[in-house]
Amino acid sequence: AETIAENLFQEARPTLGTQYKLSDLNISSDNNDTANAAYTKDVTGAMQDFITAHTINELEIVEDALSSKSPQKIQKLVPVIAQYELLKKSLLAVKTPSAIAPLHLRLVQGYANIQSSIVSMQKMFSDSVLGFAALAQYQNELSAIDIVGDEYRNYTPARQYSENKL
């Protein structure tokens, strides 16, 4: 039974949303301090807008729906999905210095994958295996976003780093 459950879980991988490429970003060849400051301001603004709008925790919605056995409550995920969509669009529009573009791409992709996982969590009652697989995927994506956040905190533009080392 455990092997069957494991196989079902492996086959029920939630589909990830759009897989973005560097060419999907608004990349600028300008990597000076002014461009980096504008980038930081724009990303911070997009994240702040998201945090302000994101007042309902998606995990609490899923937990409440499951504990009350109420498929209707899972519909509360719809506005959450829309919030992630707005965040993703905002992040894609940010003018991104080319030096930080790979990291920015991982940020965009991470939030796109979280959104896609939440979409699949809506199937918790109609396809519970997929719903729980989406929940596991969601947790993995949160961990990936944490890693990206650490990399942002430790990021030093290459030009600035080389000037400081000289």
Side-chain angles (χ1 to χ4, degrees):
E2 187 175 315
T3 303
I4 291 171
E6 203 171 288
N7 287 336
L8 282 173
F9 190 75
Q10 291 298 322
E11 290 179 23
R13 293 189 191 274
T15 56
L16 293 177
T18 302
Q19 297 302 295
Y20 292 99
K21 305 176 292 292
L22 284 172
S23 60
D24 295 317
L25 301 179
N26 181 13
I27 298 176
S28 166
S29 60
D30 191 356
N31 288 292
N32 65 27
D33 291 341
T34 303
N36 283 315
Y39 168 78
T40 300
K41 179 181 175 258
D42 292 346
V43 169
T44 301
M47 295 303 298
Q48 191 60 48
D49 290 347
F50 174 75
I51 290 167
T52 300
H54 194 73
T55 58
I56 303 171
N57 183 293
E58 49 270 19
L59 292 179
E60 289 175 7
I61 293 170
V62 172
E63 182 181 342
D64 182 41
L66 290 174
S67 65
S68 63
K69 297 181 174 104
S70 174
Q72 294 79 16
K73 288 186 176 183
I74 207 83
Q75 293 308 308
K76 291 180 183 177
L77 289 174
V78 172
V80 173
I81 293 165
Q83 291 163 357
Y84 277 98
E85 181 66 23
L86 286 174
L87 174 61
K88 184 176 65 178
K89 285 181 179 181
S90 294
L91 291 174
L92 284 168
V94 169
K95 192 170 188 176
T96 306
S98 60
I100 200 165
L103 185 56
H104 185 72
L105 177 63
R106 289 180 45 219
L107 180 70
V108 170
Q109 192 63 60
Y111 282 111
N113 291 349
I114 287 172
Q115 178 192 20
S116 183
S117 296
I118 296 169
V119 168
S120 293
M121 279 190 251
Q122 289 180 298
K123 297 183 176 147
M124 199 62 78
F125 289 95
S126 62
D127 185 345
S128 59
V129 174
L130 177 61
F132 282 104
L135 189 57
Q137 181 65 37
Y138 172 87
Q139 296 291 353
N140 290 339
E141 297 302 335
L142 283 182
S143 295
I145 287 291
D146 285 343
I147 291 168
V148 169
D150 288 343
E151 290 179 25
Y152 267 107
R153 282 185 284 283
N154 296 323
Y155 179 78
T156 304
R159 186 179 54 69
Q160 186 181 36
Y161 180 77
S162 63
E163 287 175 1
N164 290 338
K165 287 290 191 182
L166 295 178

